[in-house]
Amino acid sequence: LLIERFHLAFHREKRDCPGYELVVDKGGPKFKEVTPAPNVDPNAPVDMRAMLGAGRGADGFPNLPPGPQVMTQVGRGGQTRTKYQERTMAQFVSNLGYLVGGSQGRSVLDGYLQPRVTDKTGLTGKYTFILEYYDAGMTRLNAMLPGASPAPDAQSPPAADDPSGLPNIFTAIQKQLGLRLD
């Protein structure tokens, strides 16, 4: 019907897309498996007011309720800290391509393909860990806020760690988590 009425045509083609495999680095993972909280509905809505009013833990994050959670703190200089609580590697990898692309200043909104990431760690449990890294994309977003200074050129990815001392996402995953993006 679409072909007859609207003269639509399609074809298939193969394209090379950027991608990575997440693997365990030598020395193994630097986080431990956690026992998930019992009787927690992972789809239950989170009361953000109660959570933010509950105080902060030793890790600097608000005390998160039990169950799978992700919370990100973003600093003005591109510092990004994300706490993954009771998450599987598959859940972590599900948006890791966007984090890699964004940390390099390459946004989907700018037309960049985000790299695909495949979980090849073999880790099957649930884990809680914090990942802290320099995010060039957040530097650009912060520069758009009122009273902000102009953004540095975030179109080219940081080849190494940021001069302020924050590691890029590749270094952070390797040094902080004991994993590696190949």
Side-chain angles (χ1 to χ4, degrees):
L1 178 67
L2 292 174
I3 294 170
E4 282 179 24
R5 224 176 251 178
F6 300 108
H7 306 289
L8 293 179
F10 72 94
H11 70 281
R12 293 178 191 251
E13 67 181 57
K14 290 187 177 188
R15 294 175 119 190
D16 289 333
C17 293
Y20 297 93
E21 290 181 340
L22 184 67
V23 298
V24 176
D25 198 25
K26 60 184 176 215
K30 296 182 179 181
F31 49 88
K32 296 191 183 333
E33 188 171 345
V34 296
T35 303
N39 303 323
V40 174
D41 179 6
N43 299 318
V46 176
D47 183 356
M48 292 300 286
R49 281 189 185 156
M51 185 175 66
L52 293 173
R56 295 190 178 274
D59 58 13
F61 283 91
N63 293 318
L64 299 174
Q69 306 284 338
V70 176
M71 178 166 269
T72 300
Q73 297 173 338
V74 178
R76 281 238 183 233
Q79 175 187 20
T80 301
R81 297 181 74 230
T82 303
K83 181 175 184 176
Y84 297 87
Q85 177 178 291
E86 294 183 25
R87 305 295 281 190
T88 65
M89 281 296 110
Q91 291 169 320
F92 173 58
V93 165
S94 68
N95 75 331
L96 192 53
Y98 289 100
L99 296 180
V100 169
S103 72
Q104 296 174 330
R106 296 186 171 171
S107 168
V108 173
L109 299 174
D110 294 331
Y112 289 101
L113 287 175
Q114 299 305 297
R116 291 183 179 168
V117 180
T118 306
D119 177 20
K120 297 288 186 177
T121 62
L123 301 172
T124 58
K126 292 195 175 197
Y127 308 92
T128 297
F129 54 87
I130 294 173
L131 184 62
E132 185 173 5
Y133 61 96
Y134 171 74
D135 188 329
M138 285 299 157
T139 303
R140 279 181 42 196
L141 282 176
N142 284 332
M144 293 179 201
L145 296 173
S149 58
D153 179 19
Q155 291 301 324
S156 57
D161 299 343
D162 179 57
S164 67
L166 296 171
N168 66 35
I169 194 162
F170 296 96
T171 303
I173 287 172
Q174 188 170 17
K175 302 282 187 199
Q176 297 168 23
L177 303 182
L179 305 175
R180 186 179 71 242
L181 285 167
D182 285 346

